[in-house]
Amino acid sequence: MNLEQLVRPNILALKAYSSARSEFKGSADVFLDANENPFDTGYNRYPDPLQHQLKTKIGQLKNIGTDHIFIGNGSDEAIDLLIRIFCEPKEDFIITLPPTYGMYKVSADIANVALKEVPLNARFQPQVEALLKLGDSPHGKLLFICSPNNPTGNSIDKRLIEEIISQFKGIVIIDEAYIDFSAEDSFIHHVEKYNNLVVLQTFSKAWGLAGIRLGMAFASPAIINLLNKVKPPYNVNQLTQQAGLKALDNLKNQKDWVQKILGQRAVIQQFLAGLDYVERIYPSDANFILVKVKDPNDLYRHLVQHKIIVRNRSTVLLCDGCLRISIGTATENEKLFAAMLDYTLGSV
Ligand SMILES: *Cc1c(COP(=O)(O)O)cnc(C)c1O
C-alpha cells in the first residue's frame, strides 16, 4: 500500500518540532539546553519524548520491535492523531461499525471529518462487502474495528478481520482495548506484514491504570514515524512512564486480576441467567457484559437508588433494552446481585 497517498499533504510536508532532549543524543554531565530548573526535584527535567525504556519493556513483553510501537496519552490520543494525520477536514471520512466505542466519532467531529457508519449485523459481525465498498473511495481513509467490541463484548471474527485488512484500501485500525480478557489472539503481529494496519491497546483496563493515561499503538515504522511527528513532544509525562515501567515489572498482578475478573464474569452471567426480567445475556470476551432486560430505564433507576451505576446503552443502535455492566470485585458484584434480586421482588 502506498501510504504517502493516504497522508494529508501538510502532514507529509511537516517538519516536526525538535526538542532539546531529542537533538542531543550522547551522554553528558551538564544540561544547559532546555531552560529547565537545575535544582533536583525528581521531575525538573523534561521526560524522554520517545519513551525508550517503556518501549523496550513493551517490546519484550509483546515480542515486537520498538520501531513498531507508539506510546500515547491513552489510546484515545492515538485515535485523535490518526484522524489528523490521514483525514483532510470536510473532504475525507472515517468508517465505523456501530454499535461501537464513542471516541471515534467524537474525535472525527472535533477534526471536522465526516463519519460513515456500516452497522454490525444482528450477530454483531461486520458487513464486509459494504465497508470494503466505502473504502473504494479515495476519501475513505480510516476504518475502526473494535475487537472485543465495546459495548457488545464480542470479538470480531478473525477471518473477517483478515479479509478486511488485506482488501481495505485505507488504514485499518483494530482497537484491542479488551484483548487481555479475550481468548482470541491479538492482531499485533500482523503490523509486521501490513503497512496499513494499526493495533491499539491500553493500560486502562487489564493493567488497572486508567488514571495514568497510557496507551499503545502498534503499526509499521512508517505509521509510527507519522504519529511521532504529529504528537506533542512530551505527550507521556515522567510519572506515567515510571508507573508504566513498574506495572510491566509486575506482570503477575495483571494476570491475577484478569483471572479474577474472568471468574467473576462467569459468576455474573450465571446469576443473570436466573432472573425472569433478563431477556438476553450477550457472550463477552471483555470485562463487561451486555444484558437485555424488560425495562432498562426502570432497572437503571433502581440500581442508582442502590448506589450502583451501570451504563444504560438502551438508546444505542442494536442495543434496545440493554445495560452494560462492568465486572467488579466479588464484593461489588454481590451488592449488584442483592439490588437485582430486590428488583425482582419489588417491582416486577
Ligand atoms: C476503554 C477503551 C479505550 C481506552 O482508551 P484510553 O484512552 O487508553 O483510556 C480504548 N478503546 C475502547 C474501545 C475502550 O473501550
Side-chain angles (χ1 to χ4, degrees), residues 199-267:
V199 174
L200 302 179
Q201 294 185 4
T202 180
F203 282 82
S204 295
K205 309 285 157 65
W207 291 93
L209 292 173
I212 70 170
R213 312 305 305 129
L214 187 59
M216 300 162 272
F218 302 92
S220 59
I223 293 182
I224 298 298
N225 288 339
L226 288 163
L227 287 163
N228 286 335
K229 188 155 100 159
V230 173
K231 79 181 182 73
Y234 304 110
N235 62 324
V236 179
N237 72 70
Q238 187 183 336
L239 290 162
T240 294
Q241 293 191 39
Q242 286 167 345
L245 286 167
K246 194 171 142 203
L248 287 159
D249 283 339
N250 293 285
L251 177 63
K252 190 173 174 302
N253 287 340
Q254 192 255 47
K255 300 269 181 215
D256 288 349
W257 292 323
V258 168
Q259 282 318 307
K260 284 191 179 132
I261 289 165
L262 296 186
Q264 285 297 308
R265 186 175 75 191
V267 171

Side-chain angles (χ1 to χ4, degrees), residues 37-251:
N37 185 322
F39 298 103
D40 185 8
T41 62
Y43 303 102
N44 54 315
R45 299 294 176 188
Y46 280 102
D48 176 0
L50 292 171
Q51 311 99 15
H52 288 94
Q53 273 185 294
L54 254 183
K55 283 182 185 165
T56 301
K57 279 226 164 88
I58 291 169
Q60 284 164 354
L61 176 67
K62 312 252 174 201
N63 191 23
I64 194 162
T66 53
D67 56 343
H68 288 290
I69 307 174
F70 169 84
I71 300 183
N73 182 356
S75 44
D76 285 349
E77 181 179 29
I79 294 168
D80 171 68
L81 293 174
L82 288 163
I83 291 173
R84 287 192 285 134
I85 288 166
F86 290 103
C87 300
E88 200 61 46
K90 296 191 194 172
E91 280 181 25
D92 295 330
F93 61 87
I94 70 163
I95 303 164
T96 66
L97 316 180
T100 195
Y101 187 44
M103 275 310 289
Y104 315 137
K105 174 172 163 48
V106 172
S107 291
D109 284 347
I110 290 168
N112 210 3
V113 165
L115 169 81
K116 298 206 182 186
E117 299 185 316
V118 183
L120 296 174
N121 66 23
R123 288 174 297 108
F124 296 144
Q125 293 296 329
Q127 305 186 55
V128 175
E129 218 172 300
L131 65 88
L132 288 179
K133 206 162 166 196
L134 280 180
D136 284 342
S137 159
H139 295 297
K141 292 289 185 69
L142 305 181
L143 166 64
F144 286 89
I145 301 174
C146 187
S147 182
N149 187 40
N150 178 4
T152 58
N154 65 296
S155 296
I156 304 301
D157 184 331
K158 62 170 176 280
R159 283 156 308 176
L160 298 182
I161 295 183
E162 274 164 15
E163 188 181 341
I164 293 165
I165 299 171
S166 63
Q167 295 191 42
F168 186 73
K169 296 201 180 78
I171 306 289
V172 177
I173 298 145
I174 307 178
D175 187 340
E176 294 186 339
Y178 300 98
I179 193 69
D180 299 300
F181 304 103
S182 171
E184 298 288 335
D185 291 333
S186 166
F187 270 86
I188 81 168
H189 289 287
H190 285 65
V191 306
E192 292 159 347
K193 179 166 165 208
Y194 294 99
N195 74 349
N196 66 324
L197 176 65
V198 180
V199 174
L200 302 179
Q201 294 185 4
T202 180
F203 282 82
S204 295
K205 309 285 157 65
W207 291 93
L209 292 173
I212 70 170
R213 312 305 305 129
L214 187 59
M216 300 162 272
F218 302 92
S220 59
I223 293 182
I224 298 298
N225 288 339
L226 288 163
L227 287 163
N228 286 335
K229 188 155 100 159
V230 173
K231 79 181 182 73
Y234 304 110
N235 62 324
V236 179
N237 72 70
Q238 187 183 336
L239 290 162
T240 294
Q241 293 191 39
Q242 286 167 345
L245 286 167
K246 194 171 142 203
L248 287 159
D249 283 339
N250 293 285
L251 177 63

Side-chain angles (χ1 to χ4, degrees), residues 260-277:
K260 284 191 179 132
I261 289 165
L262 296 186
Q264 285 297 308
R265 186 175 75 191
V267 171
I268 297 181
Q269 281 164 331
Q270 201 173 11
F271 171 80
L272 293 173
L275 298 174
D276 57 1
Y277 60 87

Side-chain angles (χ1 to χ4, degrees), residues 288-348:
F288 57 83
I289 297 171
L290 189 72
V291 55
K292 184 170 183 180
V293 297
K294 284 217 174 84
D295 189 339
N297 296 327
D298 193 51
L299 176 58
Y300 179 85
R301 278 192 298 270
H302 172 84
L303 292 175
V304 169
Q305 278 168 5
H306 283 71
K307 301 196 184 307
I308 296 170
I309 314 303
V310 298
R311 196 97 150 105
N312 189 345
R313 299 281 78 184
S314 60
T315 60
V316 170
L317 181 79
L318 299 175
C319 296
D320 293 347
C322 288
L323 301 179
R324 190 195 70 192
I325 304 176
S326 303
I327 314 299
T329 63
T331 314
E332 289 173 328
N333 299 335
E334 271 157 29
K335 287 182 185 163
L336 172 76
F337 297 165
M340 291 189 84
L341 284 172
D342 182 51
Y343 182 74
T344 314
L345 299 173
S347 36
V348 173

